[in-house]
Amino acid sequence: MTGAHDTAVEYRATVLDAADATSGRLLQELRADAHIQFVDTVQQQREELATLRPPPDPDVIAHPHRWAYYPWRRTVVGVLAPHAFRLLRLDRNRNLTTRDELAALGRLRIGIVGLSVGHAIAHTLAAQGLCGELRLADFDQMELSNLNRVPATVFDLGVNKAVVCARRIAELDPYLPVTVAPEGITAASVDGFLEGLDIVIEECDSLDAKVLVRTAARARRLPVLMATSSGGLLDVERFDLEPSRPILHGLLGDVDAAQLADLTTKDKLPRVLKLIDAQELPSRMAASLVEVGNTLSTWPQLSSEVAVGAASIAEAVRRIGLREQLAS
């Protein structure tokens, strides 16, 4: 950020500490701007923090708070210091998740490619404290027809999908590191995107991207997860445990990404049916698939199915992160 009035697309909150000279000057500038709103509920947050059991250390309660500036909202929000913020925000996870487990899960670095279905997944992981870093990749912009299943709003139309998701997560937790690849994933960028990750979640429409991501993930021995948003099907490929496992379980044969590029939705359909058990599809979905390219522009998706997929992915991430059993 270059100043309080930076007009560049922003997706991170700028966290400011009034005790820091640079932050202090920026806060003064923001307060002087009649178009910037300040929201201060810090005292309420401190009072809630003091009610936790067992009680937090008094130093944690008294630690100076921060200010989070959200340029896309032109708003500055008072928030507890990082440790106190996480302690209070995730307190309702206990004892379903212990503090030691939360600490381990909070170190996971997760990449998500495809931010339609991936938006709900990313937000669920962030809300539940199942990651310490998120990387989001999508080249597409939010459209009105996405709003039947993507938890965005009309204010987000025309904005890059990964940016929309990153902003929502920043408003949930300004301290969670999130980076965005608004150009999506390409053969030139996939290795850089995966560098240092622990888990990859792939939710692309294009089959070539699915193969590209998995080929690169397998080379790095990274597990890949995918929710299909149909019938609750969850796909797990444990390349971390099985580095020679065939891509997509071998269901598409020995293919590379280039062979699957530029397919129409209708051309994708026979291959998609190989990836899922068509006999297990809900009847209305099975009937819909044969209409793709005729009476339907693409395959249908429901918000409820996306929510089920996000929950399934969250459980899979939890198991991998805690080294519990989860087979391909």
Side-chain angles (χ1 to χ4, degrees), residues 117 203 226-235 275-276 301 305 309:
V117 172
E203 298 293 343
M226 177 183 68
T228 65
S229 302
S230 180
L233 180 63
L234 172 68
D235 185 75
L275 299 180
I276 57 180
Q301 291 178 300
E305 290 279 8

Side-chain angles (χ1 to χ4, degrees), residues 43 70 75 103 126 138 148 169 173 197 219 221 228 247 310:
Q43 183 56 36
Y70 297 92
T75 300
D138 199 312
N148 79 314
I169 291 171
D173 185 344
L197 292 181
R221 301 191 64 162
T228 65
I247 300 295

